[in-house]
Amino acid sequence: MNNELMEALNILEKEKDISKDTLLETIENSLLTACKTHFGKNENVRAHVDRETGEFEVYAELEVVEEVEDAALQISLEDARALCSQYQVGDVVRKEIKSKEFGRIATQNAKNVILQKIREEERRSLFNQFNGKEREVVTGVVQRYFGKNISINLGKCDALLGENEQIRGENFRSNERIKVYILEVKDTPKGPRILVSRTHPELVKRLFEAEVAEVKDGTVEIRGIAREAGSRTKMAVASNDPNVDPVGACVGVNGSRVGTIVDELRGEKIDIIPWSDNSAILIENALSPAKVICVVADDDEKTAQVIVPDYQLSLAIGKEGQNARLAARLTGYKIDIKSETQARESGLLEEIGFDMAYEGEYDDYGEIYDGDYLDDGQEYES
């Protein structure tokens, strides 16, 4: 029986990540609970389970007295000397308690103590396991839709992908494997409640850390991310090694690395640009693929005036203003974009003293976005 007990405890420790010592302590407490149920008190009762063999003993510590007033706490000198002739008044006698003497109610209470402790430890183990993964990316399996929310199985428990954390238009099949970003892990009486996201910008960062070795080891740093989930992401990267091209490392040979991430995000476009400590250069890079003629940045006010060729204005702004909006979020600057003609008419060229003599060196870029464009200069805030 004791071998079976230890084997069962070993299985629980392995499968549910519950310490065997904790389970043995629980068994000891359950025996004390049974004693209290059976005898009405357990203040002087001790229980011990051998950690190696599983053998257990339960005994009561009884004080030797001349006249017994409480049989649960005391033993007469005559009865004590029947056990050992050397006992004197005031000594403490250890009297064994047979667990088979416990009644049905006492046994059931002891069982409930053990089961309750196992459930508590299992919840604690799961919470600690996933709490350590908060703000990380994990792979889950789509279980089912309930309302507009999705249940995602993460192995030992389920997570909730709420409506607000889903990419618009993204649909999943049952049992499909997807990657999600763990937003929050809450400890509840029913177990950990895990909230996950597919829209968080950190999802993109964690995917690059997993896919790009240079990002994972710190050679390449991701300095900033601006994302409109499901549509486009702009990411600024810098290298701590002059021999490593940060953009090339993230893109990979023939786009293999970034392609894997784009596939995971169901075709979301990702612009990877080089980071610069010079705010004007950073803003110019952030407005890629549009070409910029001039950037005048105010680092104190966090504003920037940007001038682009006339035919590059719609490209710089982007469809529905997306390119400029993401550039503003990425850089943290309020960006005012004007075409060359608008800059001339407003007097901005004279104000900044810029010579606008260029002769079509940007013609190879052209306008690559379809849809409605904004024709007037507009400001975009981060």
Side-chain angles (χ1 to χ4, degrees):
M1 181 63 182
N2 294 327
N3 290 335
E4 293 177 0
L5 172 64
M6 297 305 289
E7 183 178 348
L9 295 180
N10 288 331
I11 292 173
L12 282 172
E13 183 176 43
K14 182 178 180 180
E15 292 185 353
K16 298 185 178 294
D17 193 26
I18 302 175
S19 167
K20 186 164 67 174
D21 285 338
T22 299
L23 292 171
L24 289 170
E25 289 176 6
T26 302
I27 292 173
E28 291 172 346
N29 291 333
S30 70
L31 292 170
L32 295 177
T33 299
C35 287
K36 185 170 184 178
T37 304
H38 188 70
F39 298 110
K41 59 180 66 177
N42 65 353
E43 291 82 357
N44 64 324
V45 177
R46 303 290 180 264
H48 175 72
V49 180
D50 190 284
R51 267 49 178 171
E52 298 297 329
T53 65
E55 297 287 344
F56 65 91
E57 60 175 338
V58 184
Y59 57 88
E61 294 181 338
L62 304 176
E63 182 185 2
V64 179
V65 295
E66 290 285 357
E67 185 176 347
V68 175
E69 296 179 357
D70 188 340
L73 301 175
Q74 299 171 333
I75 186 173
S76 67
L77 180 60
E78 180 181 353
D79 291 341
R81 286 184 172 173
L83 299 174
C84 179
S85 61
Q86 297 181 354
Y87 279 124
Q88 302 292 331
V89 173
D91 289 344
V92 175
V93 175
R94 292 174 55 168
K95 182 181 179 182
E96 184 180 4
I97 299 174
K98 300 292 184 180
S99 57
K100 65 181 180 181
E101 296 176 1
F102 297 156
R104 181 182 60 83
I105 295 177
T107 304
Q108 184 63 39
N109 288 344
K111 176 183 175 182
N112 291 339
V113 169
I114 296 174
L115 293 177
Q116 178 64 23
K117 186 62 176 180
I118 290 175
R119 286 192 290 266
E120 289 176 359
E121 288 299 311
E122 186 176 9
R123 288 198 299 266
R124 181 196 59 78
S125 176
L126 284 174
F127 174 76
N128 290 339
Q129 177 185 343
F130 286 99
N131 191 47
K133 293 181 179 179
E134 198 171 89
R135 307 190 185 285
E136 296 292 334
V137 169
V138 296
T139 300
V141 177
V142 176
Q143 292 291 91
R144 65 188 184 280
Y145 281 81
F146 52 98
K148 295 184 178 180
N149 300 320
I150 306 175
S151 175
I152 308 293
N153 182 264
L154 301 182
K156 293 184 178 180
C157 62
D158 291 344
L160 175 69
L161 180 60
E163 179 184 4
N164 294 335
E165 300 301 333
Q166 298 173 34
I167 297 174
R168 183 174 298 179
E170 193 173 54
N171 295 307
F172 303 107
R173 302 183 306 273
S174 180
N175 296 323
E176 184 175 359
R177 298 175 68 84
I178 62 171
K179 293 186 183 297
V180 292
Y181 177 78
I182 297 182
L183 283 175
E184 185 179 29
V185 181
K186 296 181 179 179
D187 193 13
T188 72
K190 294 184 179 181
R193 185 169 185 267
I194 305 171
L195 305 178
V196 296
S197 173
R198 289 274 294 175
T199 62
H200 201 285
E202 285 288 307
L203 172 63
V204 178
K205 181 177 181 181
R206 299 302 182 197
L207 289 175
F208 272 98
E209 288 176 351
E211 187 67 29
V212 181
E214 291 85 350
V215 175
K216 187 174 183 179
D217 65 21
T219 303
V220 173
E221 285 186 54
I222 298 175
R223 296 289 184 87
I225 293 180
R227 185 185 184 203
E228 292 189 357
S231 179
R232 195 176 205 96
T233 290
K234 283 185 179 287
M235 184 174 75
V237 294
S239 175
N240 295 316
D241 185 338
N243 297 318
V244 175
D245 172 21
V247 175
C250 292
V251 172
V253 178
N254 296 325
S256 58
R257 289 175 168 178
V258 71
T260 300
I261 297 169
V262 168
D263 290 342
E264 175 61 39
L265 298 177
R266 310 296 176 92
E268 181 175 318
K269 296 180 177 66
I270 300 178
D271 297 339
I272 304 172
I273 67 167
W275 173 270
S276 175
D277 291 327
N278 184 310
S279 56
I281 295 175
L282 178 62
I283 292 168
E284 180 181 356
N285 294 341
L287 287 170
S288 174
K291 281 295 181 179
V292 173
I293 297 174
C294 175
V295 177
V296 179
D298 186 331
D299 292 336
D300 295 328
E301 297 293 331
K302 291 291 182 180
T303 59
Q305 298 277 354
V306 177
I307 302 173
V308 299
D310 287 353
Y311 65 86
Q312 290 276 297
L313 179 61
S314 58
L315 181 59
I317 293 173
K319 188 176 181 179
E320 298 179 351
Q322 184 185 68
N323 193 59
R325 188 165 57 248
L326 287 175
R329 290 181 192 170
L330 182 65
T331 61
Y333 279 71
K334 183 179 180 181
I335 301 175
D336 181 10
I337 303 176
K338 284 184 168 59
S339 68
E340 177 187 356
T341 299
Q342 291 168 344
R344 285 185 185 281
E345 292 175 350
S346 66
L348 179 60
L349 298 183
E350 292 77 8
E351 181 182 337
I352 65 177
F354 190 81
D355 181 5
M356 299 301 296
Y358 84 83
E359 298 181 357
E361 56 266 40
Y362 308 116
D363 287 348
D364 57 330
Y365 283 86
E367 297 185 3
I368 63 174
Y369 287 92
D370 296 325
D372 298 328
Y373 298 104
L374 302 177
D375 294 324
D376 54 339
Q378 295 197 28
E379 292 183 349
Y380 297 86
E381 300 185 28
S382 59

